[in-house]
Amino acid sequence: MPELPEVEFTRGVLARWLAGRRVDALTVLAPKLVAPSAQKVAQALAGQRFLGAERRAKYLLLSFTGDVGLVSHLGMTGRWTRRPAGEALRHDRLQLALDDGHVLHFQDMRMFGWLELHPASALATLPVIAALGPDPLRDGLDGPTLQARLAGSKRAVKVALMDQAVVAGIGNIQAAEALFRAKVDPRLLAGALTAAQCAAVAKGVHQTIAHTLASQGSPQVKDEIAYVEEGGENPFLVYDRRGEPCPVCRTPLARLTQGGRSTYWCPGCQAPPA
Ligand SMILES: [Zn+2]
């Protein structure tokens, strides 16, 4: 499932594909993914030139001439793919035909992704964007900031980190990886973390995002986003590695369930016996 690094990779790829391009036509194959309606979005986009792609947490903000803006979310399985005109792809939901003869396809097996039309000038202030906490890549994240945002929280720190209003862009994998790197027990109450633990978690967040971005390759060269759930190589330290030896202390890695999601962790590094 795409988290901040995968969406950032997608932003870079889309910016390269769309640079200087004009949209000739939008074809909507799955109308329920598009708002306010397939017809309205297609009418607004046709003939407009791309101006820029930004990312806020897991949202892509695309701007075009004519004050046309799009918010795009990849959902669970969404991906943008570029092909020469005339090709049909599996799980094809949207097709954006460009003036250079390419078509950008939005493929989405599970159909939790979506695309919304808004004025480009209003994208950054949409309620869904304004409600986000700090984005580690864009806004930075340090120990004191994280401690302030976790203050008073009675939730487990792993669950709190996945709250987009606390820190934006972090999902199940990045939260577990950051806590492993910080040697912090994912079950600890978020509001009880010490300043040193918060500093370590903030550092862990930056490290795991950088590591995941590097594992995707350069968006200036590579076209395809890699999802580890689809059989891609697992670049993570603990995710989906239950039973394997911890890369630091060799204790077998474990899995527990928090908020309905699997947390992979090291009982040796992250909860050393007192
Ligand atoms: Zn360990």
Side-chain angles (χ1 to χ4, degrees):
M1 193 185 306
E3 300 184 28
L4 187 159
E6 291 84 1
V7 181
E8 176 62 19
F9 174 84
T10 301
R11 187 203 63 76
V13 172
L14 284 174
R16 170 161 59 91
W17 288 344
L18 285 164
R21 299 272 63 86
R22 189 188 69 226
V23 176
D24 282 344
L26 170 74
T27 304
V28 178
L29 305 170
K32 77 160 198 171
L33 268 50
V34 175
S37 73
Q39 189 189 10
K40 285 206 169 107
V41 182
Q43 273 176 358
L45 266 180
Q48 304 297 345
R49 279 194 184 276
F50 174 73
L51 292 177
E54 290 196 50
R55 183 195 52 78
R56 298 281 199 287
K58 305 177 196 174
Y59 300 92
L60 288 165
L61 311 181
L62 306 177
S63 298
F64 298 84
T65 51
D67 200 26
V68 173
L70 296 175
V71 184
S72 168
H73 197 286
L74 301 175
M76 292 180 69
T77 55
R79 73 170 76 229
W80 286 93
T81 306
R82 181 172 70 163
R83 291 286 188 275
E87 287 190 33
L89 300 181
R90 279 186 88 198
H91 311 305
D92 219 353
R93 310 304 181 200
L94 301 168
Q95 298 171 346
L96 206 56
L98 305 180
D99 63 344
D100 65 354
H102 283 104
V103 174
L104 305 190
H105 300 255
F106 183 67
Q107 298 171 275
D108 190 359
M109 183 178 67
R110 299 284 301 274
M111 303 221 339
F112 286 106
W114 49 263
L115 191 80
E116 268 182 24
L117 176 71
H118 294 279
S121 53
L123 289 176
T125 51
L126 293 174
V128 69
I129 303 298
L132 294 167
D135 180 304
L137 211 54
R138 182 189 154 82
D139 307 317
L141 181 71
D142 60 14
T145 303
L146 182 61
Q147 191 166 32
R149 301 197 71 84
L150 296 177
S153 172
K154 304 277 191 249
R155 293 180 293 182
V157 60
K158 159 76 172 356
V159 175
L161 281 178
M162 292 169 59
D163 181 341
Q164 301 301 296
V166 173
V167 183
I170 305 300
N172 192 47
I173 296 179
Q174 298 296 324
E177 294 284 309
L179 291 170
F180 172 75
R181 289 173 181 270
K183 294 185 161 62
V184 167
D185 189 326
R187 302 166 298 182
L188 289 180
L189 287 187
L193 260 59
T194 65
Q197 285 172 319
C198 287
V201 173
K203 187 177 169 197
V205 165
H206 289 296
Q207 286 175 332
T208 184
I209 288 172
H211 175 80
T212 312
L213 272 174
S215 76
Q216 288 286 344
S218 167
Q220 296 309 315
V221 177
K222 209 170 149 243
D223 288 349
E224 294 272 330
I225 187 170
Y227 288 151
V228 64
E229 296 91 335
E230 296 177 350
E233 190 178 336
N234 181 354
F236 301 112
L237 299 176
V238 293
Y239 174 76
D240 204 22
R241 296 193 184 280
R242 181 164 69 159
E244 294 183 27
C246 167
V248 175
C249 76
R250 313 306 290 173
T251 300
L253 297 174
R255 185 178 73 184
L256 58 90
T257 301
Q258 295 182 291
R261 308 291 300 277
S262 287
T263 300
Y264 294 89
W265 67 300
C266 174
C269 291
Q270 292 174 264

